[in-house]
Amino acid sequence: MNKKIWSAGFLAAVMLLGAGCGQNNGTEPGSAPGHNEPAPGGQTGQGAGGDNGAVQPEVQSESIKAYYTDPDLMELREGVAEISYETPEEKYKAAYEALQTSESEELIPLWEKIDLISVALADGTLTLDVHIPAEANLGAGGEAFAIDALKNTFFQFEEVNAIQILIDGQQAESLMGHVTLEYPMTR
């Protein structure tokens, strides 16, 4: 009988001890309830707006020139597009997207069906990696206009001194088989 009482007492003590250890209000072990220790780097882990103190980039908007063609594919035409971005890479992606769409029936986008894989600016050279599906082929005149539209659009940014186009990650002799590409294209 003594063994049963001692076993029950020991089990009750272990349960009480275990229950007491589990109540720490979500704080670090050994800290007092309601006391927040500073996180590494001196931050408490609760920045303004719950962003852990990270600085959020500011959204910028800009009106840019984007270039298209006429419905008959006879000339290059200038249009205006509003872009919004937070980082330089987003700025160039937004400019590329402006080349892909037009709200006017008189301004036909030459880059509409060409997918942008990636964009990067390093040492003044903007590298655009694109994927060109078969249905995006524009013929010789359209290809020349597409390259000119791209150059005119991106060279309006002062920081862009050269443009390099990669097709599926590789340098290619031409965009669509008609016009020879320069590596890199310069102002």
Side-chain angles (χ1 to χ4, degrees):
M1 183 89 155
N2 258 348
K3 287 184 180 181
K4 288 183 182 178
I5 293 173
W6 279 104
S7 295
F10 180 72
L11 185 60
V14 169
M15 289 176 48
L16 285 173
L17 189 61
C21 288
Q23 295 182 6
N24 205 356
N25 294 335
T27 58
E28 293 294 320
S31 65
H35 178 73
N36 282 335
E37 290 286 326
Q43 304 235 348
T44 62
Q46 294 180 348
D51 62 1
N52 291 332
V55 177
Q56 296 294 323
E58 183 178 324
V59 176
Q60 299 177 23
S61 294
E62 187 175 334
S63 182
I64 65 165
K65 295 176 187 174
Y67 293 84
Y68 310 94
T69 189
D70 64 289
D72 297 322
L73 207 66
M74 299 298 289
E75 65 181 347
L76 199 59
R77 292 189 177 170
E78 180 182 300
V80 177
E82 288 293 324
I83 61 171
S84 296
Y85 57 92
E86 292 180 354
T87 65
E89 285 77 22
E90 288 179 7
K91 175 181 176 179
Y92 307 123
K93 285 180 184 177
Y96 187 86
E97 289 169 4
L99 288 172
Q100 292 184 300
T101 59
S102 170
E103 295 178 11
S104 170
E105 292 180 13
E106 297 301 312
L107 300 174
I108 308 301
L110 295 157
W111 291 86
E112 179 177 28
K113 296 177 183 176
I114 301 173
D115 301 320
L116 181 65
I117 298 170
S118 68
V119 60
L121 180 69
D123 299 323
T125 299
L126 181 67
T127 302
L128 301 166
D129 188 4
V130 298
H131 172 72
I132 305 172
E135 63 270 10
N137 197 328
L138 299 169
E143 182 178 347
F145 284 146
I147 292 169
D148 288 342
L150 188 82
K151 289 165 64 173
N152 291 347
T153 300
F154 286 105
F155 282 143
Q156 70 187 302
F157 303 122
E158 292 178 14
E159 66 274 16
V160 177
N161 298 316
I163 301 171
Q164 181 150 308
I165 300 176
L166 302 178
I167 300 172
D168 296 321
Q170 304 292 317
Q171 286 187 356
E173 188 175 311
S174 110
L175 196 62
M176 298 171 195
H178 306 288
V179 179
T180 302
L181 291 174
E182 302 170 36
Y183 285 97
M185 293 180 274
T186 56
R187 287 184 185 266

